[in-house]
Amino acid sequence: DTAVSQTPKYLVTQMGNDKSIKCEQNLGHDTMYWYKQDSKKFLKIMFSYNNKELIINETVPNRFSPKSPDKAHLNLHINSLELGDSAVYFCASSQDWGAGNTIYFGEGSWLTVV
Amino acid sequence: SQKIEQNSEALNIQEGKTATLTCNYTNYSPAYLQWYRQDPGRGPVFLLLIRENEKEKRKERLKVTFDTTLKQSLFHITASQPADSATYLCALDGSSYKLIFGSGTRLLVRP
C-alpha cells in the first residue's frame, strides 16, 4: 500500500500556466509537507501543515499556494508558472509536529516548465 | 550562516568494504540528526535517527555516530553491497522544528 502518494508524477507545461499537484497520505499522520528538490539536489521545505493548519511557510513566491482540505491531503497549486519553477516537488508526512519526527516522502512530481 | 555539508563528490568503493559518509554542520544545535537514502527517481527514505545524547546508533549493517562537539555525524555501511548504491542525505532539526537536509553524498558500490 502506498503511504504517501502524489499525482501527477510528471508534468510538462508552458510558462504562465497554472497547475496543481495532489497529495494524499494513508498513514494517519497529523503533519504534511511540501519540499522542493532543485537540480543541485538540495531538498528545501516549502510548507508544512499540522492538522490542516499552516505552520511553516518558507520564503516561497505567492504564486505557490498549498491547500489542506483534511489532514490526509495536502495539495499544491502553482500560478503563472516560470522556468525557475522546474524542479521535483515532494509531498511528505510525519506522525506529528516537533523535533525528532521522521518524515515519509512520496515519490515526487517532476515539473518541467518550458 | 547555517550550513549542512556533505561530500559532493561521489564515494566509490568495492563491494564488501565499509562505506563512511560524513555530515558536518555549523551554527545549528540539533537535538536529533537523521539519515535518509534516496534512489534515482524516488523520494528519500528514512534510515536512522540519533539523539544528541547518543554517541552511536546501529541498525543491521548501518551505524551512525553523532559528535555534538565536532558538529559531525558519520554514517557507516559495513559489508557494502551494490544494492547500497544510492544518495545518502543527512538531516537535522533547524529552527521551528524544520527538518533541514544536506545535499547528499552519492555512494557507488562496485561488484
Side-chain angles (χ1 to χ4, degrees):
Chain A
D1 284 344
T2 304
V4 180
S5 58
Q6 52 184 112
T7 55
K9 187 169 176 73
Y10 299 102
L11 185 54
V12 180
T13 188
Q14 289 189 324
M15 274 195 307
N17 283 350
D18 303 339
K19 290 294 176 186
S20 293
I21 308 172
K22 294 186 176 182
C23 179
E24 175 182 4
Q25 54 96 2
N26 63 3
L27 297 167
H29 287 170
D30 286 344
T31 306
M32 294 187 74
Y33 311 82
W34 278 108
Y35 276 84
K36 177 181 180 180
Q37 191 168 44
D38 60 24
S39 56
K40 294 184 179 177
K41 304 300 181 186
F42 277 103
L43 198 59
K44 290 184 181 175
I45 191 166
M46 299 172 69
F47 302 103
S48 179
Y49 274 73
N50 188 56
N51 276 318
K52 300 193 299 175
E53 285 195 28
L54 181 65
I55 50 174
I56 289 179
N57 186 352
E58 288 296 274
T59 308
V60 175
N62 290 339
R63 300 181 293 102
F64 290 79
S65 53
K67 281 194 173 44
S68 182
D70 55 61
K71 73 175 192 177
H73 295 85
L74 180 61
N75 303 323
L76 182 66
H77 188 75
I78 315 170
N79 289 327
S80 303
L81 278 155
E82 299 177 359
L83 292 176
D85 297 332
S86 297
V88 185
Y89 293 86
F90 287 100
C91 179
S93 71
S94 63
Q95 183 65 55
D96 52 34
W97 178 243
N101 270 285
T102 59
I103 295 191
Y104 295 77
F105 285 88
E107 294 293 357
S109 294
W110 268 252
L111 173 64
T112 302
V113 183
V114 296
Chain B
S1 62
Q2 294 177 315
K3 282 184 192 175
I4 304 174
E5 292 179 314
Q6 296 186 254
N7 246 350
S8 56
E9 289 185 19
L11 179 62
N12 197 325
I13 65 168
Q14 186 73 41
E15 181 177 9
K17 301 291 186 186
T18 295
T20 299
L21 285 69
T22 304
C23 176
N24 294 301
Y25 59 92
T26 53
N27 294 321
Y28 285 108
S29 298
Y32 304 88
L33 191 142
Q34 304 184 35
W35 283 87
Y36 289 74
R37 169 183 173 143
Q38 187 173 21
D39 290 285
R42 310 294 296 273
V45 174
F46 169 74
L47 296 175
L48 280 169
L49 177 149
I50 187 166
R51 293 173 173 77
E52 61 178 340
N53 60 353
E54 296 176 316
K55 295 294 182 191
E56 183 180 295
K57 197 83 168 277
R58 291 176 185 259
K59 179 182 173 183
E60 297 171 355
R61 295 183 296 110
L62 308 181
K63 184 177 87 170
V64 171
T65 63
F66 191 10
D67 189 325
T68 56
T69 302
L70 289 179
K71 295 189 180 296
Q72 180 182 79
S73 174
L74 299 178
F75 177 80
H76 306 271
I77 305 176
T78 57
S80 60
Q81 304 165 2
D84 295 326
S85 298
T87 296
Y88 292 87
L89 307 167
C90 74
L92 51 79
D93 295 320
S95 60
S96 305
Y97 305 130
K98 285 179 283 191
L99 195 61
I100 311 297
F101 284 82
S103 58
T105 297
R106 188 162 162 251
L107 172 66
L108 180 60
V109 182
R110 301 188 310 274

mmCIF file of all heavy atoms in Angstrom, chain B residues 65-87:
data_model
loop_
_atom_site.group_PDB
_atom_site.id
_atom_site.type_symbol
_atom_site.label_atom_id
_atom_site.label_comp_id
_atom_site.label_asym_id
_atom_site.label_seq_id
_atom_site.Cartn_x
_atom_site.Cartn_y
_atom_site.Cartn_z
ATOM 1 N N THR B 65 27.149 7.762 13.959
ATOM 2 C CA THR B 65 27.695 8.412 15.145
ATOM 3 C C THR B 65 27.333 9.893 15.094
ATOM 4 O O THR B 65 27.067 10.448 14.031
ATOM 5 C CB THR B 65 29.223 8.251 15.227
ATOM 6 O OG1 THR B 65 29.805 8.901 14.086
ATOM 7 C CG2 THR B 65 29.620 6.784 15.255
ATOM 8 N N PHE B 66 27.312 10.502 16.262
ATOM 9 C CA PHE B 66 26.892 11.901 16.382
ATOM 10 C C PHE B 66 27.797 12.559 17.406
ATOM 11 O O PHE B 66 27.767 12.213 18.580
ATOM 12 C CB PHE B 66 25.426 11.934 16.835
ATOM 13 C CG PHE B 66 24.753 13.265 16.764
ATOM 14 C CD1 PHE B 66 25.316 14.363 16.143
ATOM 15 C CD2 PHE B 66 23.485 13.420 17.319
ATOM 16 C CE1 PHE B 66 24.675 15.580 16.080
ATOM 17 C CE2 PHE B 66 22.819 14.643 17.260
ATOM 18 C CZ PHE B 66 23.408 15.717 16.641
ATOM 19 N N ASP B 67 28.639 13.476 16.951
ATOM 20 C CA ASP B 67 29.566 14.176 17.830
ATOM 21 C C ASP B 67 29.159 15.646 17.852
ATOM 22 O O ASP B 67 29.435 16.389 16.911
ATOM 23 C CB ASP B 67 30.998 14.005 17.322
ATOM 24 C CG ASP B 67 32.032 14.507 18.301
ATOM 25 O OD1 ASP B 67 31.756 15.517 18.999
ATOM 26 O OD2 ASP B 67 33.105 13.921 18.391
ATOM 27 N N THR B 68 28.499 16.049 18.930
ATOM 28 C CA THR B 68 27.994 17.429 19.006
ATOM 29 C C THR B 68 29.113 18.434 19.254
ATOM 30 O O THR B 68 28.920 19.628 19.011
ATOM 31 C CB THR B 68 26.925 17.555 20.102
ATOM 32 O OG1 THR B 68 27.479 17.101 21.337
ATOM 33 C CG2 THR B 68 25.692 16.738 19.766
ATOM 34 N N THR B 69 30.258 17.949 19.710
ATOM 35 C CA THR B 69 31.402 18.854 19.896
ATOM 36 C C THR B 69 32.040 19.173 18.552
ATOM 37 O O THR B 69 32.315 20.335 18.232
ATOM 38 C CB THR B 69 32.440 18.220 20.833
ATOM 39 O OG1 THR B 69 31.815 17.928 22.083
ATOM 40 C CG2 THR B 69 33.615 19.170 21.063
ATOM 41 N N LEU B 70 32.244 18.133 17.762
ATOM 42 C CA LEU B 70 32.793 18.318 16.415
ATOM 43 C C LEU B 70 31.753 18.810 15.424
ATOM 44 O O LEU B 70 32.084 19.234 14.320
ATOM 45 C CB LEU B 70 33.370 16.999 15.891
ATOM 46 C CG LEU B 70 34.643 16.494 16.529
ATOM 47 C CD1 LEU B 70 35.048 15.150 15.903
ATOM 48 C CD2 LEU B 70 35.785 17.500 16.370
ATOM 49 N N LYS B 71 30.483 18.734 15.831
ATOM 50 C CA LYS B 71 29.354 19.074 14.942
ATOM 51 C C LYS B 71 29.430 18.218 13.670
ATOM 52 O O LYS B 71 29.441 18.716 12.534
ATOM 53 C CB LYS B 71 29.353 20.564 14.611
ATOM 54 C CG LYS B 71 29.108 21.457 15.819
ATOM 55 C CD LYS B 71 28.907 22.895 15.423
ATOM 56 C CE LYS B 71 28.674 23.785 16.633
ATOM 57 N NZ LYS B 71 27.446 23.477 17.358
ATOM 58 N N GLN B 72 29.443 16.915 13.930
ATOM 59 C CA GLN B 72 29.636 15.982 12.827
ATOM 60 C C GLN B 72 28.907 14.682 13.102
ATOM 61 O O GLN B 72 28.844 14.195 14.233
ATOM 62 C CB GLN B 72 31.133 15.697 12.664
ATOM 63 C CG GLN B 72 31.461 14.742 11.535
ATOM 64 C CD GLN B 72 32.963 14.488 11.472
ATOM 65 O OE1 GLN B 72 33.518 13.709 12.243
ATOM 66 N NE2 GLN B 72 33.617 15.145 10.529
ATOM 67 N N SER B 73 28.376 14.111 12.022
ATOM 68 C CA SER B 73 27.824 12.765 12.090
ATOM 69 C C SER B 73 28.501 11.940 11.005
ATOM 70 O O SER B 73 28.732 12.417 9.890
ATOM 71 C CB SER B 73 26.312 12.786 11.856
ATOM 72 O OG SER B 73 25.798 11.474 11.794
ATOM 73 N N LEU B 74 28.821 10.698 11.363
ATOM 74 C CA LEU B 74 29.368 9.753 10.402
ATOM 75 C C LEU B 74 28.354 8.637 10.196
ATOM 76 O O LEU B 74 27.740 8.170 11.162
ATOM 77 C CB LEU B 74 30.691 9.174 10.894
ATOM 78 C CG LEU B 74 31.830 10.176 11.114
ATOM 79 C CD1 LEU B 74 33.066 9.452 11.640
ATOM 80 C CD2 LEU B 74 32.153 10.934 9.843
ATOM 81 N N PHE B 75 28.219 8.225 8.951
ATOM 82 C CA PHE B 75 27.277 7.168 8.581
ATOM 83 C C PHE B 75 28.094 6.047 7.939
ATOM 84 O O PHE B 75 28.807 6.283 6.956
ATOM 85 C CB PHE B 75 26.253 7.740 7.598
ATOM 86 C CG PHE B 75 25.260 6.751 7.074
ATOM 87 C CD1 PHE B 75 24.166 6.383 7.821
ATOM 88 C CD2 PHE B 75 25.411 6.191 5.813
ATOM 89 C CE1 PHE B 75 23.226 5.480 7.324
ATOM 90 C CE2 PHE B 75 24.485 5.290 5.305
ATOM 91 C CZ PHE B 75 23.392 4.938 6.063
ATOM 92 N N HIS B 76 28.021 4.861 8.529
ATOM 93 C CA HIS B 76 28.816 3.736 8.049
ATOM 94 C C HIS B 76 27.899 2.641 7.531
ATOM 95 O O HIS B 76 26.873 2.330 8.159
ATOM 96 C CB HIS B 76 29.652 3.136 9.189
ATOM 97 C CG HIS B 76 30.507 4.119 9.912
ATOM 98 N ND1 HIS B 76 31.794 4.428 9.514
ATOM 99 C CD2 HIS B 76 30.259 4.875 11.021
ATOM 100 C CE1 HIS B 76 32.308 5.333 10.355
ATOM 101 N NE2 HIS B 76 31.401 5.617 11.273
ATOM 102 N N ILE B 77 28.297 2.059 6.416
ATOM 103 C CA ILE B 77 27.645 0.845 5.923
ATOM 104 C C ILE B 77 28.731 -0.221 5.861
ATOM 105 O O ILE B 77 29.700 -0.098 5.088
ATOM 106 C CB ILE B 77 27.041 1.026 4.515
ATOM 107 C CG1 ILE B 77 26.089 2.219 4.474
ATOM 108 C CG2 ILE B 77 26.312 -0.248 4.083
ATOM 109 C CD1 ILE B 77 25.535 2.511 3.081
ATOM 110 N N THR B 78 28.596 -1.250 6.684
ATOM 111 C CA THR B 78 29.590 -2.318 6.660
ATOM 112 C C THR B 78 29.193 -3.373 5.638
ATOM 113 O O THR B 78 28.021 -3.493 5.272
ATOM 114 C CB THR B 78 29.719 -2.970 8.044
ATOM 115 O OG1 THR B 78 28.424 -3.451 8.442
ATOM 116 C CG2 THR B 78 30.197 -1.981 9.087
ATOM 117 N N ALA B 79 30.183 -4.119 5.181
ATOM 118 C CA ALA B 79 29.969 -5.184 4.184
ATOM 119 C C ALA B 79 29.087 -4.668 3.053
ATOM 120 O O ALA B 79 28.034 -5.251 2.739
ATOM 121 C CB ALA B 79 29.352 -6.408 4.856
ATOM 122 N N SER B 80 29.504 -3.581 2.450
ATOM 123 C CA SER B 80 28.663 -2.905 1.464
ATOM 124 C C SER B 80 28.359 -3.797 0.261
ATOM 125 O O SER B 80 29.140 -4.683 -0.112
ATOM 126 C CB SER B 80 29.336 -1.619 1.007
ATOM 127 O OG SER B 80 30.582 -1.905 0.430
ATOM 128 N N GLN B 81 27.206 -3.545 -0.326
ATOM 129 C CA GLN B 81 26.734 -4.322 -1.470
ATOM 130 C C GLN B 81 26.357 -3.363 -2.597
ATOM 131 O O GLN B 81 25.997 -2.215 -2.331
ATOM 132 C CB GLN B 81 25.490 -5.124 -1.058
ATOM 133 C CG GLN B 81 25.691 -6.023 0.122
ATOM 134 C CD GLN B 81 24.387 -6.513 0.733
ATOM 135 O OE1 GLN B 81 23.306 -6.205 0.245
ATOM 136 N NE2 GLN B 81 24.492 -7.302 1.799
ATOM 137 N N PRO B 82 26.387 -3.832 -3.833
ATOM 138 C CA PRO B 82 25.962 -2.955 -4.937
ATOM 139 C C PRO B 82 24.570 -2.358 -4.711
ATOM 140 O O PRO B 82 24.307 -1.220 -5.124
ATOM 141 C CB PRO B 82 25.996 -3.886 -6.151
ATOM 142 C CG PRO B 82 27.074 -4.863 -5.817
ATOM 143 C CD PRO B 82 26.944 -5.095 -4.329
ATOM 144 N N ALA B 83 23.698 -3.084 -4.034
ATOM 145 C CA ALA B 83 22.346 -2.578 -3.768
ATOM 146 C C ALA B 83 22.347 -1.391 -2.805
ATOM 147 O O ALA B 83 21.331 -0.697 -2.674
ATOM 148 C CB ALA B 83 21.474 -3.696 -3.188
ATOM 149 N N ASP B 84 23.475 -1.138 -2.147
ATOM 150 C CA ASP B 84 23.583 0.028 -1.270
ATOM 151 C C ASP B 84 23.859 1.298 -2.059
ATOM 152 O O ASP B 84 23.828 2.402 -1.498
ATOM 153 C CB ASP B 84 24.709 -0.170 -0.241
ATOM 154 C CG ASP B 84 24.439 -1.306 0.718
ATOM 155 O OD1 ASP B 84 23.260 -1.542 1.067
ATOM 156 O OD2 ASP B 84 25.419 -1.987 1.125
ATOM 157 N N SER B 85 24.121 1.186 -3.340
ATOM 158 C CA SER B 85 24.404 2.357 -4.176
ATOM 159 C C SER B 85 23.176 3.251 -4.213
ATOM 160 O O SER B 85 22.083 2.819 -4.586
ATOM 161 C CB SER B 85 24.786 1.921 -5.593
ATOM 162 O OG SER B 85 25.956 1.141 -5.581
ATOM 163 N N ALA B 86 23.373 4.500 -3.796
ATOM 164 C CA ALA B 86 22.282 5.463 -3.698
ATOM 165 C C ALA B 86 22.886 6.783 -3.231
ATOM 166 O O ALA B 86 24.085 6.872 -2.973
ATOM 167 C CB ALA B 86 21.214 4.995 -2.703
ATOM 168 N N THR B 87 22.045 7.785 -3.077
ATOM 169 C CA THR B 87 22.467 9.036 -2.448
ATOM 170 C C THR B 87 21.980 9.031 -1.012
ATOM 171 O O THR B 87 20.833 8.665 -0.739
ATOM 172 C CB THR B 87 21.890 10.250 -3.202
ATOM 173 O OG1 THR B 87 22.436 10.280 -4.514
ATOM 174 C CG2 THR B 87 22.256 11.550 -2.495
#
